[in-house]
Amino acid sequence: MRIKRVELREIHLSLLHPFETSYGRTTERHIILVRVEDADGGEGWGECVADESPYYSEEWTESAWAVMQRFLAPLLMAAPFGSAAAVDGLFAHVKGNRMAKAALETACWDLEARSRNVPLWQLLGGTRAEIASGVSIGLQPTVAGLLDRVRGELASGYQRVKIKIKPGHDLELVRAVRTEFPDVPLMVDANSAYRLHDAPLLQQLDEFGLMMIEQPLAHDDIAQHALLQRQLATPICLDESIRSSDDARLAIDLGACRIINIKLGRVGGHVESRRIEQLCRDKGIAVWCGGMLEAGIGRAHNIALSTLPGFTLPGDVSASARYWDEDIIDPPVTVTSRGTIEPPSRPGIGFAVKRERIEKLTSRREVIES
Ligand code: OSB
Ligand code: MG
């Protein structure tokens, strides 16, 4: 594989519903799209999941743009390499910046799958004919509003519901949802909003039969999650804290979690995601695919990843129509009435990239050539 050209663009896309977590509220996404081109004119697309601010992790739109433009794109074009599986290695001496790395790495995977004329999910080793889909519902202005949202998503067929919580907005929300929906597969995500001394409060969640509590403690802490997990019946699922397969191994060995959420951007791409999936399969730990309010290209990569055998739990990969009035891919991602997504049969990510729509949404563009 020889990459001759890397095109970065930033697009602005308004969410249909503002998305609120314990750390903030998003109404419009600023997304970096990556297009890589090889010597034969073949192309591949990736999407950077970095947020508009460094609140979920250190990375954000500007830092990702700068590191891709200045360091990663030149590394990608410096010399030919064997396959997309090697990109991870090319970037190894650049510390961190995994969302930026993943955007380029996943684009190379799309390019490779297109040039081999196979769907990306098959090239990755996926085995599922359909993936199980859940939803992540942000903090809502009122409890009644939250219940309306849960009702609507369940009516659409989604297989599990995740609600966001934060201190002062936790037990009450879970109790309200559980009262109306006693049997629904339900989980909560705190996005690092609690401290170990909140353990007595978090223990009160045990009575609600939650599938898991996601990332209750600090984003960069594994040890304290191990101390907390010993005090909870509810499984802890780590999101922010797992940035690599080494992190996953440590977390599992310490008993810091019983479930792991894999996000392509957070761990640096398809290769590292597969390593975590394999490790978890070996250790009997269930994984699922997280979401970062992706537009269609990122969503398509999430679908491909979710077809790997270890992804046994419903993920946060849901229909395009939950986020956008019009997606940047065609067709948009849809969910069956059984709450599943069928991976596409066309080559690469398997969805057509809507070039004209992207052009209209673009606020800046830069081409880096070898
Ligand atoms: O913690 O999983 C998270 C969105 C942005 C940043 C972090 C998270 C989320 C979600 C939404 O929960 C998942 C989605 O619908 O894409
Ligand atoms: Mg999360």
Side-chain angles (χ1 to χ4, degrees):
M1 190 176 280
R2 186 181 187 87
I3 306 298
K4 302 280 284 183
R5 197 164 187 270
V6 174
E7 191 179 317
L8 303 179
R9 336 171 145 252
E10 179 175 330
I11 62 165
H12 292 184
L13 203 52
S14 285
L15 283 165
L16 286 175
H17 309 281
F19 191 79
E20 189 171 334
T21 67
S22 60
Y23 61 78
R25 188 180 160 90
T26 309
T27 53
E28 186 186 67
R29 295 289 336 277
H30 294 183
I31 298 172
I32 304 172
L33 298 179
V34 171
R35 180 178 173 276
V36 295
E37 195 178 310
D38 68 11
D40 309 320
E43 66 170 6
W45 286 84
E47 177 175 329
C48 183
V49 301
D51 226 328
E52 295 69 39
S53 354
Y55 302 157
Y56 167 83
S57 75
E58 295 90 337
E59 288 188 87
W60 64 299
T61 316
E62 294 295 327
S63 72
W65 182 285
V67 85
M68 282 194 268
Q69 182 248 324
R70 180 105 180 255
F71 297 99
L72 301 177
L75 275 173
L76 197 61
M77 294 187 293
F81 49 91
S83 79
V87 172
D88 186 47
L90 298 178
F91 293 162
H93 64 291
V94 175
K95 306 292 186 297
N97 293 286
R98 292 180 176 85
M99 294 176 177
K101 291 176 178 175
L104 288 163
E105 195 249 22
T106 55
C108 291
W109 275 101
D110 179 36
L111 170 60
E112 180 163 337
R114 287 177 198 239
S115 57
R116 293 182 186 225
N117 208 28
V118 293
L120 173 59
W121 65 273
Q122 284 176 12
L123 184 63
L124 290 170
T127 53
R128 295 179 185 281
E130 55 180 22
I131 66 166
S133 181
V135 289
S136 173
I137 303 177
L139 289 159
Q140 301 295 313
T142 64
V143 176
L146 172 64
L147 291 172
D148 280 343
R149 288 293 303 272
V150 174
R151 230 172 270 131
E153 305 293 8
L154 291 172
S156 305
Y158 286 104
Q159 295 189 17
R160 70 100 168 101
V161 169
K162 154 169 146 184
I163 63 171
K164 296 284 187 178
I165 57 169
K166 67 176 181 180
H169 300 266
D170 37 42
L171 292 173
E172 181 201 12
L173 304 184
V174 175
R175 188 173 295 117
V177 175
R178 259 298 172 246
T179 303
E180 184 168 339
F181 306 99
D183 304 318
V184 158
L186 180 66
M187 58 174 288
V188 294
D189 186 357
N191 289 108
S192 302
Y194 295 87
R195 294 293 167 261
L196 192 53
H197 62 69
D198 294 315
L201 178 122
L202 297 172
Q203 278 171 341
Q204 293 184 63
L205 289 171
D206 279 344
E207 68 173 283
F208 297 105
L210 301 176
M211 296 172 79
M212 66 195 94
I213 171 169
E214 186 177 342
Q215 195 69 38
L217 308 180
H219 74 101
D220 54 356
D221 185 88
I222 290 175
Q224 294 195 61
H225 280 99
L227 297 176
L228 179 63
Q229 180 68 89
R230 287 185 216 159
Q231 304 177 58
L232 297 182
T234 308
I236 290 177
C237 169
L238 289 178
D239 173 356
E240 284 88 329
S241 295
I242 306 297
R243 296 156 309 171
S244 65
S245 51
D246 285 338
D247 285 345
R249 184 181 300 280
L250 181 66
I252 295 166
D253 289 349
L254 290 179
C257 64
R258 300 199 193 125
I259 298 171
I260 287 177
N261 157 341
I262 300 181
K263 288 181 179 169
L264 279 165
R266 202 191 63 228
V267 307
H270 282 299
V271 162
E272 195 64 16
S273 294
R274 271 200 319 205
R275 280 194 199 109
I276 298 175
E277 183 261 355
Q278 180 67 57
L279 170 79
C280 289
R281 213 148 24 102
D282 293 344
K283 300 225 174 218
I285 295 283
V287 306
W288 53 277
C289 184
M292 293 288 289
L293 310 175
E294 288 90 348
I297 293 169
R299 199 165 294 281
H301 279 286
N302 286 343
I303 293 170
L305 177 67
S306 302
T307 64
L308 295 178
F311 286 76
T312 54
L313 293 170
D316 279 348
V317 185
S318 47
S320 300
R322 292 189 64 246
Y323 305 84
W324 324 111
D325 64 349
E326 184 187 344
D327 207 334
I328 59 168
I329 54 165
D330 187 48
V333 173
T334 54
V335 170
T336 67
S337 55
R338 299 184 304 285
T340 62
I341 297 174
E342 289 160 4
S345 52
R346 284 186 293 155
I349 58 172
F351 295 84
V353 174
K354 296 174 79 162
R355 297 292 293 260
E356 275 175 29
R357 171 142 178 80
I358 289 173
E359 199 61 56
K360 279 192 205 129
L361 299 169
T362 297
S363 62
R364 65 171 151 166
R365 179 169 172 273
E366 186 159 333
V367 175
I368 305 122
E369 275 168 323
S370 60

